Structure formats: C-alpha cells, structure tokens
Amino acid sequence: MAQIPNLGNAPINLTSIRDQSQKELITILKNIRGKKCLVIDPNLGGSLSLIVQTSLLMILEEEKVHHLMMIGEYPLYLLPLDEDILSFELDNAFKECAVDGDMSSLWYIAKAIHKLEFSFGLIPNVRAKGKASVRVADILNRMQAEEPVNSSEMGVPEINTLILLDREVDMVTPMCSQLTYEGLLDEFLRVNNGAVELDSSIMGVQQEGKKIKVPLNSSDKLFKEIRDLNFEVVVQVLRQKATSMKQDYTEMTTTNQTVSELKDFVKKLNSLPEITRHINLAQHLSTFTSKPSFLGRLDMEQTMVEAQSYDMRELLHSYGFEHMATLNNLEKAGLIRKQESKSNWLTIKRALQLVVDDTDTANPNDISYVFSGYAPLSIRLVQHAVRSGWRSVEEILKLLPGPHSETKRSGLASSPSFNTLPGAVSNTDKVGDGRRSLVLVVFIGGVTFAEISALRFLSAQEGMAYDLIVGTTKIINGHTVTETFVENLG
C-alpha cells in the first residue's frame, strides 16, 4: 500500500493543493539545466513522500558536492497528511513561541491559510483563542488588506469558519494517554508522515533484523473504519472480521457454491491483507496496553484530571540536576508551574463537562470516548465555537491562557468589517454545489490523533451542519511535546 494518501473523499479539493505543490517542485527541478542530483535531508524525505511518488524523482545521496550546490526556495506552506488533515510542518513552532519568543512561524501559518483562501474563498468567520492564535488572525487580516482575495468573484466561500487554538490553552489533553487505535499507535510506535516503522517479524515477515514501513491513512479502508475507535472496540471488530472470514472459508470447503457466491468470497479475500496487517499491529499494541505500568499510568492520569491530590515532589532529586534547563523550558512554556493560588481546573472541568462517568466506548454519544471518560478540553471549546460562538463560554475562556477574539471578515479590501459575531454561523450556509460548508480548526503547537478522532466524531453527529477539517503545526503526543523542551546540561 502506498504511503501517499488518497484524497478523493476529502470534503475540500485537497488533491489540487497537493498537485500544485508537486508541480512547483518538478518545475524547480526542470529549471535547473543539465543532469541533476537531488540530495534530500532525511527530515524532509518523509514530508515529500506525501506529495510526490519517489519514482518521479532521481533521488540520490552523495557527499562532497557543496561546490556544485544551488540554493533556492521551495514554498511548501502546507501538506495534506490525509483527507481531513493539513500540516504546516512546523515541528518547533510551540517551543519557538513559548520559550524562545520567536514568533516567525506564525507568519508562515497565516500565509498557508491565506494561500488556502485563494483556492477556496475568503473565510468569513474567524475565532481565535490564545496569544499566538489571536496574532495569526491579525496577520491574516493584514495579508488580506495587502493582497486581497476578492470573494465577489469566487461565490460562496467553501470554508465558512476558521477556529484557531493555541496548544497552551489545553496542555492537559496531550499529556493524557490516547486510547483510540491511531492514538495508541502513535503513543507506542510513533506515527511519522502517515506511517509506522517496525521490525518485520511483528508483521509476520521473517527477515532477520529488517525494518518495514506500514502506511496508515484512509486509503486503507479497514484503517479508516477503525482508526478513531477506542482500542478495546478495535480488538472486538478485528475478532469479528476474522471469525466471519473463517466461517466463509468453512462454508466454501463444505458446500457447493454458485459462481456468484464464489465471486463474493474472492472479493472478501481482497480485504484479507488489511485484516492481517491490523491484527498484527493490534497484537503488538496489546503487549504495551496490558502492562501494569500502563494501567497504573492511566489510573494516575484519571486521578489528576479529576483534580484529586497526587504527590509529584522532588523531581530533581528523582531525575538529577542535569534536567534543570529542561524544567526551566517546561516552566516557561506553562507545562509546569508553582501553584500559588487555587486552581481554576475544577471550575473549568465542571463548566465544560470534561469528566464523563458513564462513557460507552462501544457506542459513544460523546467525545469523551477517546480517553475513556475524559473529554478533551480543546475539542469542547471547538464544540461551543461551532454551535454558538465564543459568547456561550466567555467566562470560561477568561480562565484559560491567552486572549480570545471573534471577527467577521469582508472580501472587499477597501472596507473590512471586523465586527463581533452574534453567535454561531448560519447552519444553512452551503457551498455552490450543495455540499456542507467547512470549519477549519487550526492547532498552533500541535494536535493529537485522539483530538482529531474527537473532531471526526463531532462532524459525524446528526445535528452537526458542518464538515470539520484539521490544520496543525505538527501531530504530537505527550512524549513528543516534552522532547521538544528537553535540553541537557553537561
């Protein structure tokens, strides 16, 4: 299965975005005369593999060619990771903004969104929460004034609302262990550019010491079906599919089948590689999720989310004073701080119903299923922003880090209108061909797969009038967020 994702079912024409990026790269290469040697940094290789099949390039790695190099620019502002995920590929944006005071990444985020607007129309409604998000909204308005998208020529904009969220607004969620299938794959195996790399033996291939890459995107129909489910449910689904396949095989060998029935069975066999792939992955994940240490961690997280006391003293005594720089970075970023007054967490938790006691992971009716009882704070905010605007949670927003803004934008550069919205955008807004309008939710500082699953769950609800699409500086989990701030002394 190819790592390059199929974008045919995207709620917006992301194929055109990828095609444009592909053409720009090939044009750059064609404009260099003569034979070319393209040397790709390993950190870039994964990103480029999501845009262009490597068979289109002559990709070699060679040393001592610095005197032959030509330095140019490839303006890759955003990258479709899947049919509903866009990445700005700004891995260090959170640390740069929160610790180093470097806000340059915010310009690139605004530029990427403005580039989207030239393809899909000016986004009329913008809601932002957090210092970085409010600044991106401001930069976006300045870009529109300087290089306007004329909405009168483009008709009804395809993206109706932009919601910008700083990661620092909700640092609780990425620190919780994700319990969706895709989330757990990232927690334990690290999903990079839509694939995991692991020992071939895990996938049933007997090649001593060889690593293989397993693509994970919506081109895999079974993965699309199970990626957002709680892992407990995934195990049940895979068991049912394997049992059904076994029963079909038994029927085939013990009874006479018509040609039509044989054809149906062969069609089912086509899904066997996918079932086998995910049974192998799920079995490997189970070796981690069944460990007492993992279960103990879940118990500790639940205790902390419910705001009960948990003793976490003497960090330096436990881990060593060489971690002082790291702890200083974590404090600057707001991940840890000295508690000098009563926490607002209890008030926030109750007001937004963040802890749900009777969560049914098999038949969920709330986003809390992604953490088996904890509803991600970030997605609760999105829920309110889409349904009734920021006004419904105004007092709660004030308790969370950073300012918030809510503006309505006009396509006419001469008379921009930045009025506060009365509430939710109209549910009747649709694009020209009758499709549902889009809400683009952008996470500045990263988003977890569990949060993406929660957004997909919201989008699929009967009362939801919009498709939701995610934009992010990078995909994160608790480990990768913390690693960003690690700085060893000595």
Side-chain angles (χ1 to χ4, degrees), residues 5-12 14 81-85 218 224 469:
N6 176 14
L7 303 175
N9 294 319
I12 199 168
L14 295 183
L81 292 183
D82 215 325
E83 57 190 29
D84 57 353
I85 309 172
S218 51
K224 186 175 180 179
I469 195 165

Side-chain angles (χ1 to χ4, degrees), residues 113-275:
I113 296 168
H114 198 48
K115 196 174 180 184
L116 276 179
E117 292 184 307
F118 277 103
S119 297
F120 305 114
L122 185 83
I123 304 171
N125 306 297
V126 179
R127 297 180 176 124
K129 172 61 182 170
K131 286 179 291 188
S133 291
V134 168
R135 190 172 291 195
V136 167
D138 182 52
I139 296 169
L140 196 57
N141 287 333
R142 276 191 276 132
M143 285 179 173
Q144 171 61 14
E146 292 164 9
E147 193 182 358
V149 175
N150 195 331
S151 59
S152 59
E153 292 176 3
M154 303 185 79
V156 179
E158 290 193 52
I159 303 173
N160 182 283
T161 303
L162 168 65
I163 298 170
L164 294 154
L165 273 181
D166 278 27
R167 182 70 272 171
E168 71 168 0
V169 170
D170 172 18
M171 283 309 304
V172 173
T173 298
M175 296 305 165
C176 293
S177 300
Q178 303 173 75
L179 297 176
T180 56
Y181 180 42
E182 190 167 20
L184 274 173
L185 284 169
D186 191 42
E187 293 277 342
F188 293 115
L189 306 179
R190 299 287 177 98
V191 178
N192 279 314
N193 301 111
V196 288
E197 192 172 352
L198 31 76
D199 291 336
S200 58
S201 59
I202 293 166
M203 302 308 291
V205 180
Q206 297 307 318
Q207 291 177 309
E208 191 68 32
K210 191 181 177 187
K211 297 263 185 187
I212 57 171
K213 226 173 216 183
V214 182
L216 296 167
N217 59 53
S218 51
S219 303
D220 177 337
K221 289 177 184 173
L222 178 56
F223 183 62
K224 186 175 180 179
E225 179 188 336
I226 63 176
R227 70 194 302 181
D228 302 314
L229 302 179
N230 191 287
F231 185 56
E232 288 180 4
V233 182
V234 169
V235 173
Q236 294 167 23
V237 170
L238 292 174
R239 188 181 292 120
Q240 287 164 3
K241 288 187 181 293
T243 304
S244 173
M245 190 72 77
K246 186 180 178 182
Q247 286 171 347
D248 288 341
Y249 178 76
T250 304
E251 285 176 20
M252 287 299 301
T253 55
T254 56
T255 60
N256 292 322
Q257 304 290 317
T258 66
V259 174
S260 176
E261 287 169 331
L262 283 170
K263 189 179 177 183
D264 289 341
F265 178 67
V266 170
K267 200 181 285 183
K268 277 190 177 181
L269 280 180
N270 290 336
S271 65
L272 191 57
E274 289 183 355
I275 294 172

Side-chain angles (χ1 to χ4, degrees), residues 35-51:
K35 291 182 178 180
K36 293 164 282 272
C37 168
L38 184 61
V39 182
I40 296 178
D41 186 298
N43 293 328
L44 267 180
S47 300
L48 289 179
S49 71
L50 294 168
I51 292 176

